[in-house]
Amino acid sequence: MNVLLIYCHPRTDSFCAALREAAIRTLESRGHVVEVRDLYAEGFEPALSEEERGRYYEEGADRAALASHIAALRRAEALVLVYPTWWFGLPAMLKGWIDRVWLPGVAFHLAGPGDLQPRLTGIRRIAVVTTYGSPRWLLWLIGWPDWRVFRHGIRPLCAPGCRLDWIALTGMDSCSPERRRRFLATVSARLSRL
């Protein structure tokens, strides 16, 4: 498959960087074509400008500044996102990528009130690889907010029956090196079945 891997972490020496590398190695070893977009390395601008927001719903609007991201998203048959969960949500850079790239005419079409038509029906699989500083019990208590964004917001814009794989390490703030090593192995094992 053509896999679009979106990576979002500001530090090159982070555990997320090791997760990204494990994901790329695994996916390529299984014969997938992997396109990596490193939002921080690219200097992606996450904020919607006043002009962009004003023409947000104009499907024919000029999107030249985002053309390479839109083309990569349209080519994708699978989407893999590697990021840390901060404050129970997506890093601002990643949230901004969704705000600016998953646009009407790109990710969906609004045919009328309550009629949202998916436009990324080539994406059959989504895998999220993320870390949480919080313990698992707290995430269950508050309802896994970032999972909800992908399950109820992103996945419905993809192919019918698109599968969402959630690969998460909780308690990252007190995680031992051995537990990190095991999680890297888990990421490789889960992505090998993509």
Side-chain angles (χ1 to χ4, degrees):
M1 286 192 290
N2 289 323
V3 178
L4 174 60
L5 189 149
I6 302 296
Y7 175 67
C8 187
H9 197 289
R11 295 198 49 143
T12 58
D13 62 348
S14 69
F15 183 58
C16 274
L19 294 171
R20 175 198 61 212
E21 293 309 308
I24 293 167
R25 267 193 318 275
T26 300
L27 293 166
E28 288 179 343
S29 75
R30 303 295 292 172
H32 300 296
V33 176
V34 181
E35 179 176 353
V36 179
R37 301 304 297 252
D38 181 333
L39 300 181
Y40 277 94
E42 291 181 26
F44 184 81
E45 175 55 56
L48 277 169
S49 68
E50 180 179 358
E51 179 190 352
E52 279 179 305
R53 186 58 194 161
R55 58 186 168 84
Y56 183 81
Y57 292 103
E58 295 174 24
E59 292 190 13
D62 178 19
R63 313 272 194 222
L66 300 166
S68 70
H69 283 274
I70 290 169
L73 191 58
R74 286 179 169 156
R75 279 191 299 272
E77 296 170 288
L79 179 64
V80 175
L81 300 103
V82 180
Y83 66 90
T85 299
W86 291 332
W87 287 99
F88 306 109
L90 307 174
M93 180 79 76
L94 182 55
K95 176 63 168 72
W97 179 79
I98 293 169
D99 289 345
R100 292 190 66 217
V101 177
W102 289 67
L103 297 162
V106 175
F108 60 92
H109 172 71
L110 290 171
D115 189 5
L116 182 76
Q117 299 171 355
R119 287 287 162 94
L120 294 173
T121 55
I123 298 176
R124 302 185 315 265
R125 298 286 293 273
I126 300 170
V128 171
V129 178
T130 190
T131 59
Y132 297 85
S134 302
R136 184 171 293 277
W137 68 264
L138 181 56
L139 293 158
W140 281 111
L141 182 68
I142 64 168
W144 298 84
D146 56 334
W147 174 84
R148 290 174 169 282
V149 168
F150 283 94
R151 174 71 172 87
H152 301 293
I154 298 295
R155 193 178 71 91
L157 304 179
C158 301
C162 177
R163 182 171 154 183
L164 172 60
D165 294 303
W166 203 262
I167 311 167
L169 176 66
T170 58
M172 178 67 190
D173 294 346
S174 59
C175 190
S176 70
E178 175 58 22
R179 190 160 172 250
R180 290 182 191 195
R181 187 196 62 73
R182 286 194 316 265
F183 185 66
L184 281 166
T186 297
V187 167
S188 293
R190 296 274 303 273
L191 290 180
S192 70
R193 298 189 298 265
L194 189 68

